[in-house]
Amino acid sequence: MSDCLFCKILAGEVPSDKVYEDDKMYVFKDIHPKADVHLLAIPRVHIASLNEVNDEHDEIMAHMIKMLPRIAKEQGLDDGFRTIINTGKGGGQLVFHLHIHLLGGSNLPGFQ
Ligand code: AMP
Ligand code: ZN
């Protein structure tokens, strides 16, 4: 996906503040943080949104979910954290490469 911002970040064509990476996922700081800690976890493969997830992605999705608590703890979020996945325009999704927001810290905004 040559015009996908997060694919460009994965390719190193757009700079990002890396927090964690492995063969399946990449985690970096959100450029407009909404809390003390605001990370984005993305799969290395281009999946546009949760709507496009299928059986082929079982391993990647399970891996990403499993890694989030470990990454949160490494960020000092011992008390807990919030995850958000915006899906589609109606869900407020702006970047169409699946991403899991990981938020936490003392400035965690209210959830309405
Ligand atoms: P969403 O509304 O769920 O699609 O969220 C997209 C998120 O990507 C927003 O929180 C943006 O602040 C974030 N974002 C956009 N461009 C960049 C970038 N170049 N580096 C890091 N985060 C970004
Ligand atoms: Zn992409």
Side-chain angles (χ1 to χ4, degrees):
M1 291 291 157
S2 56
D3 60 348
C4 170
L5 174 62
F6 289 173
C7 280
K8 286 181 181 161
I9 283 179
L10 286 165
E13 293 166 15
V14 170
S16 64
D17 203 342
K18 179 178 81 176
V19 168
Y20 172 82
E21 70 176 326
D22 61 33
D23 61 328
K24 295 185 183 63
M25 69 189 290
Y26 185 79
V27 183
F28 56 106
K29 294 185 181 174
D30 195 292
I31 205 165
H32 298 304
K34 303 248 177 1
D36 288 348
V37 176
H38 186 174
L39 308 178
L40 299 172
I42 63 174
R44 284 199 181 275
V45 292
H46 180 88
I47 306 170
S49 83
L50 217 45
N51 282 327
E52 282 73 32
V53 170
N54 61 46
D55 292 349
E56 286 174 24
H57 305 127
D58 283 357
E59 201 180 336
I60 293 165
M61 296 304 292
H63 177 74
M64 288 180 64
I65 296 294
K66 200 171 62 182
M67 288 307 296
L68 292 176
R70 192 185 301 180
I71 293 161
K73 284 202 183 74
E74 279 171 10
Q75 294 294 307
L77 301 176
D78 298 318
D79 234 15
F81 59 93
R82 177 174 299 155
T83 46
I84 297 173
I85 304 176
N86 296 322
T87 303
K89 283 205 175 76
Q93 185 176 6
L94 298 173
V95 179
F96 282 77
H97 181 127
L98 176 64
H99 50 282
I100 304 174
H101 294 260
L102 191 165
L103 301 119
S106 57
N107 289 320
L108 194 62
F111 185 68
Q112 53 277 30

